[in-house]
Amino acid sequence: MNDIVARRFTAIAGIAFSAALIVEVPLYFVYSDEPPQSNVLTRLLFGILGLGFLLVFVSGLRDLIKKVNPECEWIANLLSTAGLAYVAVTLVSSGLEAGAVIASDKPIDPTITVTGTYILYGTIGRMLLAMFLGATAYAIARTRLLPSWTSKGSYVLAGINLAFIPSLFFGNTPAHFYAANGWGTTAMMGAILSYWLLAVSIALLRSARTR
């Protein structure tokens, strides 16, 4: 695969992930009480499909960085490992939530009742994303693969994710901003990630057109 095709393929995967997440996140706020099974499974389906596209994006980004500057292979491997670990951890939490909802004979809110999953996509997810974003920022700065604003923005988002790691000490009430499964720790951070990745993917797509 040549450089232009690789950039386009990676960018399209990033845009697809962002689109899936942009659709998924608002579905968490449709119901104030326990959501019906259809709502939970629909939002989880969008999330699962999006994570598949994220896996492609992370793998493509790793190879692009290695092609541009072979000396950055170590940081490319780090961002890839962190990104793939984030995908795996989030898929596990999604599977546990979906299984609980399917098995239940009444509506439940899996973000509360399925204990432990909110640590996977909360604190653990924030740690893995901070590593991924930090490594991505450094790699972009070293290789100049993308405009400098993408590197600076990645550093900022990495710092924000780090700030949410201690949220596991603040209970499990989704309505609270800074809780283990609070809307700030989970939904807001997911929304920010989707729009950041959308901007980066568009920048990557434009870079393919100028080569």
Side-chain angles (χ1 to χ4, degrees), residues 8-171:
R8 288 176 177 170
F9 190 73
T10 303
I12 291 171
I15 291 171
F17 164 76
S18 301
L21 217 63
I22 288 170
V23 173
E24 177 195 9
V25 170
L27 294 176
Y28 281 86
F29 300 96
V30 175
Y31 299 93
S32 57
D33 297 321
E34 286 77 10
Q37 184 185 87
S38 59
N39 172 271
V40 177
L41 295 182
T42 298
R43 71 197 191 196
L44 287 173
L45 178 60
F46 275 105
I48 291 168
L49 292 174
L51 288 167
F53 288 117
L54 181 60
L55 190 152
V56 176
F57 175 84
V58 170
S59 299
L61 185 61
R62 175 198 61 197
D63 288 346
L64 284 171
I65 290 169
K66 290 164 63 176
K67 285 181 180 179
V68 173
N69 187 347
E71 294 182 357
C72 290
E73 181 176 359
W74 69 274
I75 196 69
N77 289 336
L78 175 58
L79 75 85
S80 175
T81 301
L84 296 180
Y86 172 76
V87 169
V89 164
T90 310
L91 284 174
V92 168
S93 65
S94 297
L96 292 173
E97 286 192 359
V101 170
I102 292 171
S104 177
D105 58 357
K106 61 181 180 180
I108 62 171
D109 185 351
T111 62
I112 301 175
T113 58
V114 186
T115 58
T117 57
Y118 41 78
I119 301 300
L120 291 175
Y121 58 70
T123 292
I124 295 174
R126 301 287 72 77
M127 182 271 291
L128 291 171
L129 274 182
M131 292 180 64
F132 168 70
L133 291 165
T136 299
Y138 180 79
I140 292 174
R142 284 288 305 274
T143 61
R144 297 183 181 178
L145 176 67
L146 293 170
S148 60
W149 63 263
T150 59
S151 176
K152 295 175 182 177
S154 296
Y155 276 127
V156 171
L157 291 183
I160 294 174
N161 274 273
L162 284 174
F164 277 92
I165 290 177
S167 61
L168 80 169
F169 290 104
F170 295 88

Side-chain angles (χ1 to χ4, degrees), residues 11 14-15 18 57 61 136 140 146-147 149-151 154 194-207:
I15 291 171
S18 301
F57 175 84
L61 185 61
T136 299
I140 292 174
L146 293 170
W149 63 263
T150 59
S151 176
S154 296
S194 65
Y195 287 109
W196 170 84
L197 200 57
L198 178 62
V200 170
S201 298
I202 292 173
L204 185 60
L205 192 61
R206 287 179 175 176
S207 73

